Amino acid sequence: MLEQATRRVRGTVNGDPFDEAVDPRLTLADFLREKLRLTGTHLGCEHGVCGACTVIVDGAATRACLMLAVQVDGAAVETVEGLATDGELAPLQQAFKRNHALQCGFCTPGFLMSVTAALREDTVRDEAQAREVLSGNICRCTGYTGLVQSVLDVANGRSDA
Amino acid sequence: MLIENSFEVAADPDEVYRFLQDAHNVAACFPGAELTEDLGDDAYQGKVKIKVGPVTAAYQGVAKVVERDAVARTAVLLADGKDSRGSGTAKARATMRVTPSGEGANVVLATDLTISGKLAQFGRGIMADVSGRMVGELASRVRQRIEQGEPAAPAPAAASVAQPAPTAVPPSGEPRDEAPPMKAAELIRIVLAGMLERWAARLRAPRPVR
Amino acid sequence: MDGPMPEAMIGARLPRREDQRLLTGQGRYLDDLDLPDALAAAFLRSPHAHARITAFDASEALALPGVVAVFSGADLMEIQKPLAPKVQHPQLRDYPRLPMPPEELHYVGEALAVVIAESRYIAEDALELIDVDYEVLPAVGSTAAALRPGGPLVHTGDESNVAVLLTQSAGNAAEALSTAPHTLSEEFFVMRGGGHSMEPRAVAARFEPATGQLTIWDTTQSPHYARQQLSMIYEMAEDDLRVIAPPDVGGGFGPKAQFYGEEVVIPWVAKRLRRAVKWVEDRQENFVSAMMERSQTHQVEVGFDADGRLLAVKDVIEHDQGAYCAGLQVPSITTSTVPGPYKVPNIDIELRACYTNMVPTSSVRGAGRPQAVFVMERMMDRIAAHLGLDPAEVRRRNLIQADEFPYQVGIMFRDGSPLTYDSGNFPALLEGAVERIGYDEARREQVRLREQGRYLGIGLAVYVEGCGLGPYEGAKIRLTNRGRLLVTLAAAGQGQGYETIYAQIAADGLGLDMAYIDVTTGDTARIPFGQGTFASRITATCGPAVFEAAKQMRARLLDTAAVLLGCDVSEVDFDGNHACLGGDREKSVSLQQLAQVANIGKHGITLPRGITAGLETASYFSPERAAYASGAHAALVEVDPETGGITILKYVIGHDCGTVINPLLVDGQVLGGFAHGLGNAMYEEAVYDDEATPQATSYLDYALVSSAEVPPVELFHIHSSSPLNPLGVKGAGEGGTVPPPAAIANAVEDALRPLGARVTRAPVTPARIVDALLAAASVADSVAEKKKVS
Amino acid sequence: MKPARFTYHAPRELDEALDLLRDLGDDAKVLAGGQSLMPMLNFRLAHVEHLVDINRIGQQWGTPAFGEDTITIPALVRQRQLERSAEAARLLPVLTEALHQVAHPQIRNRGTICGSLAHADPAAELPSVLTALDAKFTVASARGVRTVSAADFFLFHLTTALEPDELLLEVSVDRPGTNQFSAFREFATRRGDFALAGVAAVCEVDDGVVTACRIAAAGVAPTPQRLTDAELLVIGQPLGPDLGAAAEATARAQVDPTGDIHASAEYRARLTGVLVKRALADITEKAHA
């Protein structure tokens, strides 16, 4: 890629260190997808509304389309690729599957990261709170029913089939 | 979008009309405008820069008086330009009518402003407000210049390199705030000479940072 | 021969096979595919709704480091051939839609040049450096403007903006209306809206000079359709074109079933440059160049008797085709959907489809049905209000009864057959919805709350949805050399769960556990013929094909096993992945062994006697005509007359799509469709101004519903099997989308009836509700007058 | 939707940032949370030569200070941070209520209070809230520091009194007394969207009578609009439904919004009145609690 002066970015993604030279205008989303080939982070609108690109940066759910790669220098980034351990789905992922909380799956990584961060921050007690936690991401397929149930399941520690 | 402004001027209607039917006079009053070349036949090449916060667009094009009626004292100025980044065009058709009013004249400025491209594709009414302010400012500058009794502004030499239009800079010494809604000048931020100096004067006892 | 099956898979509520990869970020969407050294493409799009290109200069763009090529439409004249409308009509005045017009542009967003560069960033830099001069021409921003005599023309030099005028009629509506005891009329408008799959469109291509083959990855819903079009435009053999819809496509909803200029340009440019080229539409492009739908104006008149029984319906429909006719499917579906579930003895429907300078319209989930249902269901409520009857009761009196199937409506459906409902039970759907919404109690509550100045409303909508359209869909099943059953579909999925559903169907046809069955989709190199995923048709066409191919394969497998086991075929059945004699695993052959014998064989050695080579079956299913799914929705809302805010208190969906393959997935389809329908009911507006400039080009101005807007839904099913296919299935993908605008609008007008506000437009937004209340307050007199006249 | 080229600067000190802004002038743009600027860059509506990313100028600019007299919110305080602050909720409920309605948590995690104010979208929540709180805007440049009132800070859509070399360093409000009650009300088409109109109201109430009042509306003018007519009407009156109804009509009459594809001007004006009424009802309830 023929670009202007690059800057060095070092940090971790899902615990793995990275050290790359990037064009300053490269967004975090494109950095993850193109430089690190972590293509689970998707671009749905590139203006911060749809939430498909949501990742966790230093513990906070963040739109990867509204952050520059140079800004994660020194940061710990978490993406959908880091949720399962050794092929074993995390409880939230299992709940998504059980409740048919995904269809085309394009928005799914963003939902998973948003909810993962939200459930670390606060407990979710009822459906209204579950809907609130989900409201920063758009899904065109499911109508949200399975998503709401999944959040409630995980919040209540329910993991049966 | 058709925007109408009217104002009273303490000047002879024919004088006012003479001023208005000169494309250069009016085009130079357009906020953010720079006339860059006299194309002859009362047509001028120029640029208009629109800046609303971080949103910028720069249009290059031609302004020309396309209709004149000295008897009815009406003139129509057409300014047509395209965005330098290819993302659209701006077109203003300003119909100016001068009628006697008491001792002076009444000017009606009806401007049909059409902006195409990205800037025009907002659902929120920002561009309507921006257009309204731009045309409002155009009217106030026209009025200001007429009242200052300035003759037609000197046309730039043909093919000369861009110079700031004279009217884009308030006459020196005149406090900016006295001009009619001149807060508008902040809005579509024209590069105003001396602005920094004025700000410096307004700063309250500066204290060092930290 | 069909032995006892394991547990039936058809009807099983199973989680999906696709989910594991999608949940772990391992999905393979088009932009995720590894195409080493692929160049990025970006299209230059018209900023004008109607303009002529007078000068084009890309020299500055070409000089930018990293830019490989720039092609204008004029540079690619060899591919400037019209993209045919998907659904035609002899009277259609078709205006050629070129892949990248070299001269005149007809909507904001129409592509006029493409930049190929080392990265998308650079390609977008280059777009800003291309210098184009346009002669801006007058534009048409609505159907009303299009049909206005003497108005501007969408296409310079054309004689009018009318695309086609069509009529559908049964009986004699004019006479029935003139003699009807009561008539009511109204004008309704349904707004433009988009598909908005979360993954926008994308195309990538690579040319292999050694084989002369062009491989195209395309997010299309119809890879075989794309191949057919490209084969004609490129004048290439179909076998030299391989169109692959990637395993994962991020939603379709109709716009991806259409065929676009970008799909023609990108592969051709890849071929010319001998480089892989990838174009991924961004959201900004998607807003102005992906096809939309919905926009229609209806002038409807109904005649009815004192009991509220319909005597006649007349509807004049203005349909917005956009700048070109991409197909007449949508308006033609609308014309045949107007009568809906009701017995209407006299029907007169007139369609005026016209061109406008807006992005072309074509099918979006629901495809012409939401508009028709909106009109008919609004009028059912108006009839009830006019006669002082209950809206549910008026519907009861008009519904086609469960014993009246097959029911001939008297007009034609868009598949070319007489509109004939195959099966259903509309009264059961209505009663189920009425009961679950708590209708009677809600009516009492409505009265109580009105006394407190609160406005509760109940909205009902019943619909019939033509689905499962022809001409055919097919499937192949092969025993692979590794001993697994591979089901190959031509259809491409966009999240419907084909890998799961078709494994379920195949499992029942084969009598084998799903664990031994794989499903692959959407690749023209794997199966020669196909139509595509659209019109809620795949389960009802591909389903029977898979089932039939599976049954044939079962017979072939058992025959082969019987030969090897030296017994009669009736003595063989499957146990796991073994065919066993008399249920004895000791006396069995594995699927792997069957493949070894019948497929792999031994080079030069004669096959064992009785073995037929090649364990592969194929089946194509052609439905005799469309099947008809149906449903009833009921909404209970409260409207805040001060803000116009609508709160949905309860929502019930009754759904009938015949046999259900996987209830979990069908529920997902219905609820997802409902959310889309709710968007059309309350939020989504692809507004264009009078100059045909799009005004809603980001998600800041175009509102998609989130979890906060979509209420919980009580969903129930009834199952009226279709007699038109062996599985008894009907379509489920769109039904949820069809009635919400009608149900919500009915509920809102019902809520505000004491205040006289009239809802004639979808979506119904807070601002329009308040505007309607103000209008009602100021024209209360004239409304009363109108009532008296009619 | 990829941003155009720019030169990126990530100063490590405030002075370094201010020097950069001085040197780069109109060619520079400050990047704080980036939740408004980045979309504009992605859309290529905004083109900047130099991006001055202030996120690394120091921790001290990322912590709100709840002082005895003044509450100060420095440049890098994230919206989410303040939204979750119990102290903010207790002292400035109008701000907390508004923050809940700013877009979505993922945006608020990154977006800063000062960044939203400097962006000056009149339909956004925070400009109207800080206007109703009569905030002081502390503006720094290499030339020094000055303070601008809310009334002077917001000039037009996306336009403030900030000069090209200036940075909004912090915003501060007087620490409210126990007699201050406040509320934020907005009505948006969809959760997280820009409001069709919003109202921030701050009242001081003594013995049930309003002794001071500031009301600011969002989304009805090119800047946050103080509803002074309604304020004057409310001051000196006892809280209650009659007051709300009178303020509703007054507020409606004072605003002159622009209609757009989302709502007519008439609707927005009416909505403003309704929201004033409801905000005052909230305040009444809080004052009586």
Side-chain angles (χ1 to χ4, degrees), chain C residues 120-121 124-125 128 282-284 640 642-643 645 683 687 695 698 701 703-704 708-709 766-767 770-771 774, chain D residues 1-5 43-44 47 187 189-191 193-194 248 261-264 266-267 270-271 274 277-278:
Chain C
R120 174 77 188 201
Y121 287 75
E124 290 188 24
D125 293 346
E128 296 187 330
D282 66 27
R283 191 56 66 181
Q284 195 169 13
D640 177 344
E642 287 190 329
T643 62
Y683 302 98
V687 180
Q695 298 294 289
S698 81
D701 285 317
L704 294 183
E709 286 73 46
V770 172
D771 290 346
L774 295 173
Chain D
M1 289 185 66
K2 309 298 183 190
R5 281 162 204 253
F43 275 119
R44 294 195 182 218
H47 289 75
F187 187 81
T189 306
R190 202 187 68 108
R191 180 83 183 91
D193 278 352
F194 281 110
E248 175 182 9
I261 66 166
H262 302 294
S264 62
E266 165 83 15
Y267 173 80
R270 286 178 166 270
L271 182 61
V274 169
K277 179 175 72 181
R278 293 183 182 184

XYZ file of all heavy atoms in Angstrom, chain C residues 120-121 124-125 128 282-284 640 642-643 645 683 687 695 698 701 703-704 708-709 766-767 770-771 774, chain D residues 1-5 43-44 47 187 189-191 193-194 248 261-264 266-267 270-271 274 277-278:
445
model
N -8.737 0.641 -0.750
C -9.985 1.402 -0.822
C -9.739 2.859 -0.409
O -10.372 3.768 -0.918
C -11.027 0.741 0.082
C -12.331 1.471 0.230
C -13.262 1.315 -0.975
N -14.424 2.192 -0.834
C -15.571 2.030 -1.463
N -15.733 1.047 -2.307
N -16.568 2.866 -1.268
N -8.823 3.061 0.502
C -8.514 4.432 0.923
C -8.042 5.253 -0.275
O -8.498 6.371 -0.503
C -7.426 4.418 2.010
C -7.899 3.944 3.367
C -8.140 2.595 3.618
C -8.095 4.842 4.412
C -8.564 2.149 4.864
C -8.515 4.408 5.673
C -8.752 3.067 5.895
O -9.181 2.627 7.121
N -10.733 5.910 -2.863
C -11.619 7.023 -2.506
C -10.909 8.371 -2.669
O -11.544 9.363 -3.025
C -12.146 6.836 -1.072
C -13.129 5.680 -0.967
C -13.813 5.600 0.397
O -13.906 6.622 1.096
O -14.260 4.491 0.758
N -9.610 8.404 -2.401
C -8.854 9.636 -2.674
C -8.993 9.995 -4.153
O -9.190 11.157 -4.514
C -7.357 9.446 -2.375
C -7.054 9.245 -0.897
O -7.944 9.519 -0.065
O -5.930 8.812 -0.581
N -12.082 11.740 -5.532
C -12.177 13.189 -5.313
C -11.386 13.975 -6.350
O -11.513 15.194 -6.421
C -11.671 13.534 -3.905
C -12.539 12.924 -2.812
C -12.163 13.388 -1.414
O -10.976 13.703 -1.170
O -13.062 13.437 -0.562
N -19.891 0.505 0.432
C -19.990 1.030 1.785
C -21.407 1.539 2.015
O -22.242 1.558 1.106
C -18.901 2.073 2.087
C -19.033 3.354 1.278
O -20.152 3.711 0.873
O -17.995 4.014 1.067
N -21.689 1.912 3.252
C -23.080 2.247 3.584
C -23.551 3.492 2.842
O -24.723 3.601 2.473
C -23.228 2.409 5.096
C -24.669 2.484 5.566
C -25.525 1.303 5.141
N -25.118 0.053 5.751
C -25.710 -1.100 5.511
N -26.740 -1.181 4.678
N -25.261 -2.212 6.081
N -22.613 4.404 2.625
C -22.976 5.619 1.904
C -23.444 5.272 0.481
O -24.436 5.803 -0.003
C -21.734 6.507 1.843
C -22.000 7.937 1.459
C -20.770 8.798 1.679
O -19.656 8.320 1.882
N -20.963 10.092 1.637
N -49.530 8.957 22.665
C -49.438 10.183 23.449
C -49.782 11.333 22.511
O -49.000 11.661 21.613
C -48.005 10.318 23.984
C -47.795 11.604 24.765
O -48.634 12.524 24.644
O -46.779 11.691 25.486
N -49.753 14.372 22.829
C -48.903 15.562 22.925
C -47.629 15.433 22.108
O -47.190 16.381 21.462
C -48.536 15.826 24.396
C -49.713 16.365 25.192
C -49.276 16.838 26.567
O -48.318 16.280 27.148
O -49.903 17.777 27.065
N -47.023 14.267 22.171
C -45.770 14.078 21.431
C -45.974 13.274 20.153
O -45.091 13.232 19.305
C -44.752 13.298 22.281
O -45.297 11.996 22.560
C -44.458 14.004 23.601
N -46.036 10.182 20.307
C -45.318 8.939 20.581
C -46.255 7.747 20.649
O -47.366 7.843 21.177
N -40.848 3.894 11.324
C -39.543 4.557 11.340
C -38.900 4.840 9.982
O -38.366 5.922 9.771
C -38.552 3.730 12.171
C -39.006 3.520 13.592
C -39.634 2.332 13.974
C -38.843 4.515 14.535
C -40.073 2.146 15.275
C -39.274 4.344 15.841
C -39.890 3.160 16.205
O -40.324 2.982 17.484
N -36.406 9.336 2.259
C -36.985 10.572 1.728
C -36.141 11.123 0.586
O -34.916 11.145 0.663
C -37.067 11.634 2.844
C -37.667 12.924 2.321
C -37.861 11.110 4.027
N -32.538 12.401 0.914
C -32.355 13.170 2.146
C -32.004 12.294 3.341
O -31.655 12.798 4.404
C -33.645 13.951 2.460
C -34.018 14.957 1.397
C -32.991 16.077 1.318
O -32.891 16.905 2.199
N -32.200 16.059 0.254
N -27.894 8.293 5.716
C -27.093 7.673 6.770
C -28.067 7.174 7.830
O -29.245 7.538 7.832
C -26.116 8.674 7.395
O -26.779 9.470 8.359
N -30.233 9.634 9.751
C -31.484 10.138 9.194
C -32.454 9.025 8.816
O -33.622 9.284 8.573
C -31.204 11.001 7.951
C -30.657 12.371 8.325
O -31.178 12.969 9.282
O -29.713 12.827 7.680
N -33.860 5.572 10.199
C -33.847 4.871 11.482
C -34.193 3.403 11.323
O -35.305 3.056 10.925
C -34.830 5.539 12.440
N -33.247 2.528 11.624
C -33.538 1.101 11.728
C -33.880 0.799 13.179
O -33.274 1.365 14.088
C -32.313 0.284 11.312
C -31.876 0.388 9.852
C -30.688 -0.545 9.607
C -33.002 0.027 8.907
N -34.641 -1.656 21.461
C -35.460 -0.762 22.285
C -36.806 -0.452 21.636
O -37.763 -0.093 22.316
C -34.706 0.533 22.569
N -36.874 -0.571 20.317
C -38.126 -0.250 19.622
C -39.005 -1.470 19.387
O -40.226 -1.350 19.264
C -37.837 0.401 18.253
C -37.357 1.820 18.318
C -35.934 1.944 18.811
O -35.054 1.200 18.343
O -35.684 2.780 19.690
N -44.349 10.158 14.936
C -44.890 11.069 15.956
C -45.267 12.431 15.370
O -46.347 12.959 15.663
C -43.739 11.197 16.959
C -42.975 9.921 16.826
C -43.078 9.545 15.378
N -44.376 12.971 14.549
C -44.662 14.303 14.005
C -45.919 14.276 13.140
O -46.747 15.185 13.187
C -43.469 14.809 13.196
N -49.110 14.125 15.302
C -49.508 15.422 15.846
C -50.050 16.314 14.720
O -51.055 17.003 14.895
C -48.326 16.082 16.594
C -48.675 17.507 16.984
C -47.975 15.257 17.828
N -49.391 16.270 13.578
C -49.897 17.049 12.442
C -51.328 16.614 12.091
O -52.187 17.449 11.785
C -48.977 16.884 11.217
C -47.618 17.573 11.428
O -47.494 18.384 12.369
O -46.685 17.283 10.660
N -53.740 18.000 14.589
C -53.996 19.420 14.348
C -54.925 19.595 13.160
O -55.849 20.409 13.184
C -52.672 20.161 14.096
C -51.714 20.202 15.283
C -50.368 20.806 14.879
C -52.323 21.002 16.423
N -16.054 4.792 2.405
C -16.146 5.584 3.635
C -14.854 5.491 4.432
O -14.851 5.075 5.575
C -17.332 5.109 4.459
C -18.646 5.497 3.827
S -20.036 5.069 4.849
C -19.796 6.127 6.259
N -13.765 5.843 3.781
C -12.470 5.852 4.453
C -12.010 7.304 4.536
O -12.169 8.059 3.572
C -11.440 5.045 3.661
C -11.902 3.638 3.277
C -12.200 2.765 4.477
C -12.594 1.361 4.052
N -13.113 0.564 5.185
N -11.433 7.685 5.676
C -11.032 9.087 5.802
C -9.967 9.479 4.788
O -9.157 8.641 4.376
C -10.488 9.170 7.235
C -10.357 7.782 7.734
C -11.191 6.893 6.863
N -9.999 10.738 4.399
C -8.946 11.259 3.526
C -7.661 11.375 4.353
O -7.667 11.266 5.569
C -9.366 12.615 2.969
N -6.569 11.602 3.643
C -5.274 11.693 4.335
C -5.216 12.871 5.288
O -5.787 13.922 5.017
C -4.166 11.908 3.309
C -3.736 10.676 2.604
C -2.976 11.076 1.342
N -3.056 9.992 0.397
C -2.021 9.188 0.116
N -0.850 9.386 0.677
N -2.176 8.199 -0.728
N -17.224 9.847 6.124
C -18.104 10.276 5.030
C -17.378 11.220 4.063
O -17.918 11.593 3.033
C -19.321 11.029 5.574
C -20.469 10.145 6.002
C -20.916 10.141 7.307
C -21.116 9.352 5.080
C -21.978 9.343 7.695
C -22.184 8.551 5.453
C -22.613 8.547 6.762
N -16.204 11.673 4.461
C -15.452 12.704 3.723
C -16.262 13.992 3.602
O -16.154 14.717 2.617
C -14.986 12.200 2.358
C -13.970 11.078 2.504
C -13.213 10.799 1.221
N -12.296 9.669 1.433
C -11.077 9.595 0.913
N -10.621 10.554 0.145
N -10.315 8.544 1.154
N -12.647 17.316 5.859
C -11.281 17.033 5.417
C -10.371 17.837 6.324
O -10.556 19.045 6.455
C -11.069 17.480 3.971
C -11.785 16.617 2.977
N -13.142 16.687 2.774
C -11.329 15.666 2.125
C -13.481 15.804 1.843
N -12.409 15.171 1.440
N -37.423 13.997 23.246
C -38.232 13.044 22.504
C -37.517 12.769 21.193
O -37.271 13.671 20.407
C -39.632 13.590 22.256
C -40.554 12.568 21.651
C -41.167 11.620 22.460
C -40.766 12.521 20.286
C -41.992 10.649 21.906
C -41.597 11.554 19.729
C -42.213 10.616 20.547
N -37.102 9.969 17.796
C -37.831 8.959 17.040
C -37.447 7.567 17.519
O -38.271 6.678 17.623
C -37.485 9.098 15.547
O -37.731 10.441 15.168
C -38.332 8.175 14.706
N -36.185 7.404 17.821
C -35.664 6.077 18.110
C -34.654 6.218 19.235
O -33.994 7.250 19.362
C -34.951 5.585 16.838
C -34.777 4.125 16.672
C -33.896 3.909 15.446
N -32.558 4.390 15.721
C -31.494 3.597 15.917
N -31.611 2.311 15.786
N -30.308 4.091 16.191
N -34.505 5.206 20.034
C -33.532 5.211 21.121
C -32.141 5.597 20.589
O -31.650 5.001 19.651
C -33.470 3.805 21.721
C -32.514 3.649 22.868
C -33.166 4.093 24.163
N -32.227 4.010 25.274
C -31.447 5.028 25.642
N -31.496 6.171 24.997
N -30.615 4.885 26.642
N -31.192 8.247 19.047
C -31.154 9.190 17.935
C -31.062 10.626 18.440
O -31.345 10.910 19.593
C -32.437 9.082 17.089
C -32.368 7.938 16.102
O -31.289 7.343 15.963
O -33.405 7.643 15.480
N -30.729 11.518 17.530
C -30.845 12.928 17.859
C -32.301 13.215 18.174
O -33.212 12.712 17.513
C -30.399 13.806 16.682
C -28.915 13.904 16.566
C -28.245 13.289 15.526
C -28.179 14.607 17.508
C -26.861 13.381 15.424
C -26.799 14.700 17.415
C -26.139 14.084 16.373
N -45.549 25.871 29.072
C -45.641 25.147 27.798
C -45.980 26.104 26.657
O -45.300 26.141 25.628
C -46.703 24.047 27.899
C -46.950 23.338 26.579
C -48.048 22.271 26.640
O -48.746 22.201 27.673
O -48.187 21.533 25.662
N -37.051 16.610 7.352
C -37.740 15.373 6.972
C -38.274 14.619 8.196
O -39.123 13.754 8.061
C -36.840 14.425 6.154
C -35.666 13.886 6.990
C -36.323 15.101 4.901
C -34.963 12.699 6.355
N -37.777 14.937 9.379
C -38.191 14.189 10.555
C -39.413 14.788 11.237
O -40.182 14.082 11.863
C -37.041 14.099 11.553
C -35.820 13.466 10.964
N -35.800 12.149 10.570
C -34.601 13.963 10.655
C -34.603 11.863 10.069
N -33.865 12.942 10.104
N -39.535 16.092 11.160
C -40.647 16.736 11.846
C -40.817 18.151 11.309
O -39.844 18.819 10.956
C -40.384 16.779 13.347
N -42.066 18.576 11.300
C -42.347 19.942 10.861
C -41.908 20.924 11.942
O -41.702 20.561 13.099
C -43.850 20.090 10.613
O -44.563 19.863 11.820
N -43.735 23.261 13.114
C -44.876 23.347 14.039
C -44.796 22.263 15.116
O -44.980 22.509 16.302
C -46.168 23.204 13.217
C -47.438 22.914 14.008
C -48.052 24.179 14.583
O -47.657 25.262 14.135
O -48.909 24.072 15.485
N -44.496 21.067 14.649
C -44.400 19.955 15.595
C -43.295 20.203 16.615
O -43.473 20.005 17.809
C -44.127 18.643 14.846
C -43.852 17.485 15.776
C -44.893 16.816 16.400
C -42.544 17.084 16.060
C -44.650 15.773 17.273
C -42.286 16.037 16.934
C -43.346 15.388 17.538
O -43.099 14.351 18.408
N -44.302 22.731 19.210
C -45.243 22.165 20.187
C -44.539 21.210 21.127
O -44.775 21.215 22.334
C -46.360 21.404 19.458
C -47.323 22.316 18.800
C -48.404 21.578 18.048
N -49.446 22.532 17.736
C -50.480 22.785 18.521
N -50.643 22.115 19.645
N -51.364 23.698 18.187
N -43.685 20.388 20.539
C -42.980 19.403 21.349
C -42.120 20.104 22.405
O -42.040 19.652 23.554
C -42.109 18.525 20.444
C -41.335 17.406 21.127
C -42.281 16.424 21.814
C -40.461 16.663 20.112
N -44.281 20.962 25.241
C -44.652 19.768 26.015
C -43.492 19.323 26.900
O -43.670 18.971 28.068
C -45.076 18.629 25.053
C -45.213 17.313 25.806
C -46.369 18.989 24.337
N -43.069 21.514 29.878
C -44.085 21.156 30.874
C -43.671 19.906 31.644
O -43.748 19.849 32.872
C -45.424 20.922 30.170
C -46.550 20.509 31.103
C -47.874 20.401 30.365
C -47.904 19.177 29.453
N -49.178 19.070 28.722
N -43.190 18.936 30.920
C -42.842 17.671 31.575
C -41.574 17.808 32.427
O -41.466 17.185 33.486
C -42.698 16.571 30.524
C -44.037 16.267 29.891
C -43.996 15.144 28.881
N -45.337 14.963 28.310
C -45.653 14.009 27.449
N -44.749 13.150 27.052
N -46.891 13.913 26.983
